[in-house]
């Protein structure tokens, strides 16, 4: 199993030590250090990994790296009084952190892979002389599972063999708020944080039929709010014929990025098979000329309403 890590960085504020006129004394450890106990808070979910890596960084750029369990705490001992900030994120499959951006890899066909769960948290706290402070670090989910359910009805539902789809307008980056962005070398190419641009993202969807329901799910880093979300469906029938239709889901997915606590986002609709045309004896492969329509696109919440938005 691929080892996933959780990175925790703490940055020490400047100018918070007591005044000192003796240089030799000032270079010594602080005479009245404090302590802090950092504990990740996972709400009602379980940590995605058993271990995490802790990165403690100072303003001069020096860092100390250590490993600790995600279910435990980390003790900062003998630290100079001052204001600290803590940042935490785990290493998720197909995601790498660049500056303050979580960025997705890309499949060979240009689509986006399904990432592993990504959590991120940040907080600030103050260490006081000769005291210990307990610090809770809330970990918020940065990825979310999109679930699409289609209720199958209409003429001869057994004609359906399989259905696949492609959803465009998917984000390939996500900003981790508050995370420091280190200065890039002068020769480094511009990153997405510099340009603010991102390639158009899309994901493949495979629908699985259970009784009279077709379901597909895919974990996302987010929805690209600068683009429309377009779903293209390709239905394969028992006679080998395929049919494609396209729907816009921008309105239904508008709130996908909003909630950092709910692990899934569900939309549903009714999938209606239309009556097939009469058999064509001269061409058995096209004996059935079926069709379908999808109505009532919406979320399970009543206030979202239903909108039929076929293109």
């Amino acid at each position: 199993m691929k080892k996933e890590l959780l990175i925790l960085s703490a940055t020490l504020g400047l100018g918070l030590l007591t005044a000192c006129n003796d240089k030799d004394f000032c270079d010594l450890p602080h005479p009245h250090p404090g302590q802090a106990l950092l504990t990740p808070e996972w709400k009602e979910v379980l940590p995605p990994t058993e271990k995490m890596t802790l990165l403690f960084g100072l303003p001069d750029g020096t860092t100390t790296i250590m490993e600790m369990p995600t279910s435990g705490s980390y003790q900062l001992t003998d630290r100079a009084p001052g204001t600290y900030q803590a940042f935490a994120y785990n290493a998720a499959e197909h995601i790498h952190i660049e500056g303050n951006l979580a960025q997705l890899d890309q499949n060979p066909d240009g689509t986006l892979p399904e990432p592993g769960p990504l959590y991120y948290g940040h907080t600030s706290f103050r260490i006081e002389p000769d005291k210990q402070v307990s610090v809770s670090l809330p970990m918020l989910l940065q990825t979310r599972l999109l679930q699409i359910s289609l209720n199958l009805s209409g003429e001869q539902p057994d004609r359906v063999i399989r259905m696949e789809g492609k959803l465009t307008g998917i984000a390939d980056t996500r900003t981790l708020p508050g995370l420091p962005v280190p200065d890039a070398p002068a020769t480094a190419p511009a990153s997405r944080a510099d340009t603010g641009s991102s390639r158009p993202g899309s994901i493949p969807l495979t629908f699985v039929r259970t009784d009279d329901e077709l379901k597909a799910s895919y974990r996302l880093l987010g929805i690209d709010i600068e683009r429309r979300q377009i779903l293209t469906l390709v239905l394969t029938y028992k006679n080998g014929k395929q049919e494609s239709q396209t729907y816009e889901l921008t309105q239904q997915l508008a709130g996908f990025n909003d909630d950092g606590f709910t692990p899934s986002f569900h939309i549903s609709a009714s999938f209606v098979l239309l009556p097939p045309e009469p058999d064509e004896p001269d061409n058995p492969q096209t004996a059935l000329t079926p069709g379908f329509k999808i109505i009532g696109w919406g979320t399970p919440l009543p206030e979202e309403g239903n909108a039929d938005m076929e293109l």
Side-chain angles (χ1 to χ4, degrees):
M1 177 182 297
K2 179 179 178 180
K3 184 177 181 181
E4 296 183 1
L5 300 174
L6 187 132
I7 308 298
L8 178 61
S9 66
T11 306
L12 176 63
L14 294 175
L16 295 171
L17 297 178
T18 58
C20 181
N21 297 320
D22 189 315
K23 182 180 184 302
D24 292 334
F25 178 76
C26 289
D27 290 338
L28 295 176
H30 195 281
H32 299 285
Q35 303 181 62
L37 187 68
L38 303 178
T39 305
E41 181 182 340
W42 298 99
K43 300 296 181 183
E44 297 179 356
V45 302
L46 296 176
T49 58
E50 293 182 358
K51 296 288 185 179
M52 63 182 175
T53 295
L54 180 70
L55 174 63
F56 180 70
L58 298 175
D60 62 3
T62 60
T63 57
T64 302
I65 300 177
M66 58 212 72
E67 190 175 73
M68 64 174 287
T70 55
S71 59
S73 301
Y74 178 71
Q75 182 82 50
L76 291 174
T77 60
D78 298 330
R79 300 296 173 178
T83 299
Y84 292 72
Q85 293 185 47
F87 308 91
Y89 57 89
N90 68 290
E93 187 178 13
H94 299 303
I95 295 177
H96 61 278
I97 308 300
E98 181 180 338
N100 66 342
L101 290 181
Q103 184 169 313
L104 265 176
D105 299 329
Q106 190 175 42
N107 290 324
D109 62 359
T111 60
L112 300 176
E114 185 172 15
L118 174 66
Y119 290 85
Y120 171 70
H122 64 97
T123 189
S124 61
F125 59 96
R126 182 174 178 81
I127 290 181
E128 300 291 347
D130 300 322
K131 294 182 179 180
Q132 175 173 296
V133 60
S134 295
V135 181
S136 176
L137 186 60
M139 305 300 296
L140 299 184
L141 188 61
Q142 303 298 308
T143 52
R144 202 172 188 185
L145 187 68
L146 172 63
Q147 297 176 311
I148 301 177
S149 300
L150 302 174
N151 298 314
L152 184 61
S153 64
E155 298 288 336
Q156 302 179 22
D158 289 340
R159 288 180 289 151
V160 175
I161 297 299
R162 68 177 180 273
M163 188 167 70
E164 298 174 335
K166 183 178 182 179
L167 180 62
T168 62
I170 306 302
D172 67 343
T173 60
R174 185 181 183 91
T175 301
L176 303 179
L179 190 66
V181 181
D183 294 332
T187 56
S191 67
R192 298 190 198 283
D194 298 324
T195 62
S197 64
S198 176
R199 63 181 182 267
S202 63
I203 57 170
L205 293 171
T206 300
F207 287 80
V208 177
R209 181 176 175 180
T210 304
D211 297 328
D212 291 332
E213 189 173 37
L214 293 165
K215 286 185 176 182
S217 63
Y218 210 89
R219 185 179 290 107
L220 309 178
L221 195 56
I223 292 298
D224 189 340
I225 60 175
E226 300 297 329
R227 293 183 171 90
R228 300 159 64 199
Q229 282 69 57
I230 306 298
L231 175 65
T232 300
L233 298 173
V234 179
L235 185 65
T236 301
Y237 297 93
K238 193 174 183 179
N239 66 349
K241 186 174 180 179
Q242 290 186 325
E243 183 176 357
S244 176
Q245 292 187 17
T246 302
Y247 295 85
E248 179 172 357
L249 301 181
T250 305
Q251 178 181 347
Q252 285 72 29
L253 295 174
F256 186 91
N257 297 346
D258 295 344
D259 190 351
F261 295 98
T262 306
S264 62
F265 187 93
H266 184 202
I267 60 175
S268 61
S270 295
F271 185 99
V272 182
L273 279 168
L274 303 176
E277 294 185 2
D279 292 355
E280 298 176 12
D282 294 336
N283 188 358
Q285 291 300 317
T286 59
L288 297 178
T289 308
F292 70 91
K293 64 179 179 178
I294 299 179
I295 58 175
W297 280 110
T299 69
L301 300 177
E303 60 268 24
E304 292 292 333
N306 293 328
D308 304 333
M309 305 175 67
E310 182 176 354
L311 301 181

